[in-house]
Amino acid sequence: METFDILITDHIAEEGLEILNQHPDIRYEIKAGIKNVDLKPIIGNYDAVITRSGTTVDADLIENTGKLKIIGRAGVGLDNVDIEAASKKGLIVMNAPTGNTLAATELTMGMILAACRKIPAADQSVKAGEWDRKRFMGIQLSNKVLGIIGMGRIGSNVAVRCKAFGMKIMVYDPYIKQSRADSIGVTLCDTMEEVLKNADVLTFHTPLTQETKGIMGAKEFALMKDGAVLVNCARGGLVDEDALYDAVKSGKLFSAATDVYSAEPPVGNKLLTLDNIFVTPHIGANTHEGQKGVAVIICEQIVNALHGESYANAVNIPYMKSQLPEDMQRYFELAESMGKMASQIIDGRPEELRFTMVGKRFEEDFGERTFDSPFNYQPFTIAALKGFMEVALTDAVSYINSPYLAKDRNIHVMESKTDHYAKYNDLLVLTVKTHDGEIVIGGTVFPDQKGRITFIDKYNLDLTAEGNYLYFRNTDRPGVVGKVGTLLGENGVNIANFELSRVSDKGSEAVSFVLVDDPITQSVLGKIMGIDGIIEAKAIKL
Ligand code: NAD
């Protein structure tokens, strides 16, 4: 029985461990709070690592991945994981985004109410023996405007609850559809500015990305209504803390509440010095239910992924073949074979890989971007790229890291769609340019659901897109092909199919692809190269 080792580097709820205990092939160790210096030498001994926010998974930590395949985050935020570095190493990164949605939503509700009614300050004052009711004049939520920046899981749940308080909701989220906003009953704005100008209470629910870092700065505060309230239970880096301090200190804002900080813990952070800023120690996800939720989800997902069953919430797998419709899976396989074929025929340093999808079935986009990836290719392009790269780089190439590997090697990847190409309705065309030449390969899936390579450069062909081939190019004159056949027979090579193609003018060049039962050996290849009239010969494995 194959066994898998998991390392858990943070405290996770018992219910998650119970899931792992149910699988005899899964062993786990808990080293909560382990430092990166101690983790680095041993991380490669595990198939998967489960973290919360305690471990920073950076390029240095995963320099030597050993048998490591998966990094699992028991929670949603992945800002402690360098997804690009992990992707380059072919590691799957997954999170448990739904487990603590309601915990974070409910904290946000608490923070909105705390900030509008200054509840924590009122609590402190009563306990200090005061009875000053005038100081705690608050803001009513009913009939006010709630501005939401980022309406994903948590933002939507906050919207629903604030509507129950009688608030009108205005949202800025450039990545959601109008129908989503309509179904929740909120106003979707085209600009963040529109939300800022109208919100009485503003709340943030976006991830921290290059785009959202510092999304709320001095310029944005200036656009807000006087006396508004700001709440941030998402990520510290979203709101410029100096600008927030100035806005509250100057009285521009009535108050603010934040669960998150640019640096945590927020030692010496000046936000802590203002009475009208209410703070909590990043406890958005800290409910028993929330912790149980993320632990169970991440443990289930990791077990499934290690067993190769499913890859739910993997944020850096651009596309899993199994998520494509059945017929498109055949195109995906074909694209990968075309990539392999191209790299085995063409010589020279690759400079450009162009992938064209032809026909109506490719009009729609397949797959969604799941993280802030610099690449946005269709699955077929990724498959072709992986097939192309792996011939030279072998096992280290995966669907995850192939775009990064291509970028590192300065291979320019291009993708396009078109509605027709020569006589074909549905076709994939792969063009690879090297410093030495160019190859164009076309392929399609026939009604029998088998992928076929239908042309290579100017030669029309009909090749099944799998198996071992002998490929050779020869001057087109009698006897050459016969000699190759005889030589293969003499060397015990069994021929399953022989495909010969030449351009119309007799006497020029012809190409042949001989489908053989076993891979062609170097010694047989050498003998074929010795036949008069052979220009080149290669063994190809698809
Ligand atoms: P989500 O992915 O479901 O939603 C995020 C939304 O932000 C998406 O709809 C996305 O389209 C939107 N968005 C992305 N870029 C944007 C931009 N530039 N402008 C406007 N909108 C943008 O995530 P979620 O589960 O709702 O979590 C939201 C945030 O809450 C995350 O940052 C997460 O880390 C944080 N969180 C914090 C705690 C805590 O302990 N305080 C707990 C859970 C989640």
Side-chain angles (χ1 to χ4, degrees):
M1 177 176 63
E2 190 182 5
T3 54
F4 301 100
D5 295 294
I6 299 177
L7 179 66
I8 302 170
T9 65
D10 269 298
H11 293 288
I12 67 164
E14 195 61 35
E15 287 83 352
L17 304 179
E18 281 166 18
I19 305 249
L20 303 181
N21 290 333
Q22 287 164 17
H23 296 272
D25 60 338
I26 302 270
R27 296 181 299 219
Y28 66 89
E29 276 177 73
I30 302 175
K31 292 184 192 285
I34 186 171
K35 300 255 174 311
N36 273 23
V37 280
D38 303 319
L39 182 54
K40 189 177 171 185
I42 59 166
I43 197 164
N45 301 338
Y46 299 89
D47 298 278
V49 170
I50 298 178
T51 79
R52 281 177 58 203
S53 45
T55 307
T56 300
V57 182
D58 54 19
D60 180 58
L61 181 69
I62 51 175
E63 197 183 332
N64 299 311
T65 47
K67 67 172 183 169
L68 186 66
K69 297 177 223 18
I70 304 171
I71 294 162
R73 161 79 160 95
V76 55
L78 280 162
D79 22 300
N80 59 322
V81 179
D82 184 337
I83 297 176
E84 178 166 342
S87 303
K88 281 184 175 173
K89 292 283 184 179
L91 301 178
I92 296 171
V93 178
M94 46 174 62
N95 63 352
T98 52
N100 53 31
T101 298
L102 293 178
T105 301
E106 291 179 5
L107 182 78
T108 306
M109 295 308 298
M111 293 296 252
I112 291 174
L113 291 167
C116 288
R117 305 302 289 267
K118 303 191 177 172
I119 298 169
D123 170 84
Q124 278 179 10
S125 95
V126 176
K127 286 177 180 162
E130 296 167 13
W131 192 256
D132 186 356
R133 296 170 67 204
K134 273 201 280 319
R135 210 180 116 204
F136 299 110
M137 195 60 73
I139 293 175
Q140 184 172 302
L141 295 182
S142 182
N143 282 324
K144 297 283 165 36
V145 173
L146 175 75
I148 298 183
I149 309 300
M151 202 180 67
R153 286 172 290 261
I154 298 169
S156 305
N157 275 290
V158 169
V160 169
R161 283 152 184 77
C162 285
K163 276 182 71 185
F165 275 77
M167 299 188 84
K168 296 190 196 73
I169 319 286
M170 293 180 77
V171 171
Y172 174 66
D173 187 329
Y175 303 108
I176 63 162
K177 291 190 177 148
Q178 183 63 46
S179 55
R180 171 89 182 127
D182 293 344
S183 70
I184 301 179
V186 300
T187 306
L188 187 59
C189 301
D190 291 337
T191 61
M192 181 160 152
E193 193 179 321
E194 203 181 334
V195 176
L196 295 177
K197 284 182 173 163
N198 289 289
D200 298 294
V201 179
L202 183 69
T203 180
F204 287 83
H205 300 288
T206 69
L208 182 62
T209 63
Q210 298 265 4
E211 191 190 22
T212 60
K213 193 159 191 252
I215 194 170
M216 189 71 196
K219 193 161 66 63
E220 286 72 26
F221 276 104
L223 294 171
M224 288 185 76
K225 276 185 177 175
D226 290 342
V229 169
L230 178 142
V231 171
N232 182 9
C233 291
R235 280 291 175 267
L238 302 174
V239 178
D240 181 303
E241 291 176 345
D242 289 334
L244 173 60
Y245 177 88
D246 291 344
V248 175
K249 173 101 179 153
S250 68
K252 166 84 182 165
L253 290 191
F254 177 76
S255 64
T258 184
D259 184 42
V260 287
Y261 310 86
S262 58
E264 296 180 3
V267 182
N269 189 321
K270 63 182 176 181
L271 295 181
L272 310 190
T273 64
L274 293 184
D275 289 345
N276 285 356
I277 297 187
F278 303 104
V279 292
T280 45
H282 200 149
I283 54 170
N286 280 25
T287 61
H288 294 297
E289 297 80 359
Q291 288 313 303
K292 180 181 147 191
V294 293
V296 166
I297 291 171
I298 200 69
C299 288
E300 276 175 351
Q301 286 175 185
I302 289 206
V303 168
N304 288 339
L306 287 174
H307 290 158
E309 285 162 7
S310 66
Y311 298 85
N313 293 319
V315 297
N316 63 340
I317 297 188
Y319 307 97
M320 285 308 296
K321 189 173 108 185
S322 58
Q323 286 166 7
L324 290 172
E326 190 88 15
D327 55 336
M328 299 321 267
Q329 293 187 22
R330 304 289 88 76
Y331 279 96
F332 185 92
E333 290 158 4
L334 171 66
E336 190 165 342
S337 295
M338 288 164 63
K340 286 185 195 166
M341 177 71 95
S343 78
Q344 290 173 85
I345 294 184
I346 189 127
D347 295 317
R349 285 186 301 280
E351 288 173 349
E352 185 182 297
L353 185 146
R354 194 168 350 120
F355 197 76
T356 308
M357 289 152 272
V358 184
K360 286 214 170 343
R361 29 168 96 231
F362 299 104
E363 266 173 10
E364 74 168 284
D365 280 347
F366 294 92
E368 270 176 48
R369 290 180 75 176
T370 47
F371 76 113
D372 205 18
S373 164
F375 310 107
N376 194 10
Y377 305 129
Q378 284 294 285
F380 315 101
T381 306
I382 300 258
L385 191 55
K386 179 194 172 241
F388 183 79
M389 305 288 296
E390 86 182 351
V391 171
L393 303 173
T394 65
D395 287 352
V397 181
S398 68
Y399 300 116
I400 302 171
N401 67 5
S402 53
Y404 292 95
L405 294 173
K407 186 167 169 251
D408 283 351
R409 282 162 183 72
N410 276 338
I411 301 175
H412 187 203
V413 179
M414 285 181 292
E415 179 182 88
S416 62
K417 293 182 180 183
T418 170
D419 52 4
H420 66 281
Y421 188 104
K423 58 185 175 156
Y424 298 95
N425 293 329
D426 301 307
L427 187 74
L428 299 178
V429 184
L430 172 66
T431 306
V432 178
K433 278 190 189 150
T434 69
H435 80 286
D436 203 28
E438 179 180 281
I439 184 168
V440 186
I441 301 184
T444 190
V445 175
F446 281 15
D448 64 1
Q449 287 301 302
K450 293 232 160 57
R452 301 279 218 293
I453 289 173
T454 51
F455 65 84
I456 296 180
D457 296 330
K458 56 194 173 186
Y459 300 103
N460 288 321
L461 296 158
D462 178 7
L463 306 176
T464 48
E466 58 187 16
N468 291 296
Y469 280 98
L470 163 69
Y471 151 77
F472 64 92
R473 193 154 56 90
N474 60 288
T475 43
D476 185 21
R477 59 180 155 79
V480 183
V481 172
K483 281 185 192 151
V484 174
T486 310
L487 197 147
L488 290 177
E490 282 168 5
N491 286 275
V493 179
N494 205 26
I495 297 177
N497 193 28
F498 204 119
E499 180 81 8
L500 184 145
S501 180
R502 61 175 198 184
V503 276
S504 47
D505 46 336
K506 227 162 97 187
S508 60
E509 284 179 14
V511 297
S512 296
F513 284 85
V514 189
L515 185 64
V516 289
D517 288 350
D518 299 302
I520 298 283
T521 62
Q522 279 306 315
S523 99
V524 171
L525 212 51
K527 290 178 193 163
I528 290 168
M529 281 302 293
I531 296 173
D532 189 27
I534 295 284
I535 301 164
E536 71 172 346
K538 290 181 176 177
I540 290 178
K541 186 169 168 37
L542 297 185

